[in-house]
């Protein structure tokens, strides 16, 4: 049986980073440590960021691997990193919520779509930033699992 796409252990609260590379590494590290992806997927996430920013607006970034890193995904999973003070993603874009995605086969499109809907509502982002624990933050993502 595969594990849930998103669980409490996949959430990191109150993180702070020196820059976006460190933030993306942490987001990927959670996915790797929980067995969703191989370690090399983290590099693919950084590569992806070089190609095009994963900043989505509303203080959210959704780092994920490149097309050719799909073979490094063991099963679909998400990681969420809350950065109350924000991390600079360049061009004045401050990210306070990072959502790492690893989608097996074409599941990532479905997952991305659900996340995009959740993150397009500013009140949901505010709730995620105001959340004092993993469970409260996760409650914003119930329809993803």
């Amino acid at each position: 049986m595969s594990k849930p796409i998103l669980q409490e252990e996949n959430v990191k609260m109150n993180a702070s980073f020196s820059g976006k590379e460190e933030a993306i590494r942490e987001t990927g590290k959670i996915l790797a440590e929980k067995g969703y992806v191989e370690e090399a997927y983290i590099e693919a996430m950084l590569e992806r960021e070089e190609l095009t920013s994963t900043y989505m607006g509303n203080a959210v970034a959704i780092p994920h691997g490149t097309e050719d890193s799909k073979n490094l995904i063991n099963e679909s999973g998400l990681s969420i990193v809350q950065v109350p003070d924000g991390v600079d993603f360049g061009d004045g874009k401050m990210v306070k919520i990072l959502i790492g995605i690893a989608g097996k086969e074409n599941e990532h499109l479905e997952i991305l779509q659900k996340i995009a809907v959740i993150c397009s509502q500013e009140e949901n982002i505010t709730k995620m930033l105001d959340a004092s624990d993993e469970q409260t933050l996760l409650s914003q993502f119930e329809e993803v699992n």
Side-chain angles (χ1 to χ4, degrees):
M1 194 182 110
S2 63
K3 55 182 160 266
I5 288 175
L6 185 55
Q7 47 194 345
E8 232 174 283
E9 303 84 80
N10 301 20
V11 179
K12 181 171 182 151
M13 305 290 289
N14 298 312
S16 82
F17 303 104
S18 59
K20 72 176 178 178
E21 183 182 326
E22 189 187 357
I24 292 168
R25 277 189 192 284
E26 182 60 35
T27 309
K29 196 173 98 184
I30 296 168
L31 292 170
E33 283 174 356
K34 304 296 174 233
Y36 294 102
V37 299
E38 298 302 317
E39 195 77 26
Y41 188 76
I42 300 169
E43 293 308 316
M45 290 172 88
L46 292 167
E47 225 174 278
R48 171 79 201 191
E49 191 64 38
E50 291 294 304
L51 297 170
T52 173
S53 177
T54 56
Y55 177 78
M56 297 294 164
N58 272 356
V60 176
I62 305 180
H64 52 285
T66 55
E67 275 303 307
D68 30 346
S69 66
K70 291 202 182 309
N71 60 325
L72 300 170
I73 300 171
N74 300 322
E75 57 183 304
S76 295
L78 291 175
S79 61
I80 300 177
V81 180
Q82 178 203 56
V83 189
D85 295 332
V87 60
D88 189 354
F89 259 58
D91 301 326
K93 296 173 178 143
M94 287 306 272
V95 171
K96 295 185 176 193
I97 299 282
L98 287 103
I99 303 170
I101 294 187
K104 197 83 179 134
E105 276 106 45
N106 291 321
E107 288 181 17
H108 75 284
L109 294 173
E110 195 182 319
I111 297 167
L112 260 173
Q113 202 174 6
K114 289 177 180 174
I115 289 170
V117 170
I118 295 165
C119 294
S120 66
Q121 295 165 17
E122 226 167 288
E123 69 205 52
N124 292 343
I125 306 299
T126 303
K127 284 179 192 161
M128 285 181 231
L129 288 170
D130 291 347
S132 54
D133 58 57
E134 291 83 352
Q135 205 49 57
T136 309
L137 193 149
L138 278 180
S139 66
Q140 301 306 307
F141 290 90
E142 276 161 6
E143 59 268 29
V144 176
N145 256 337

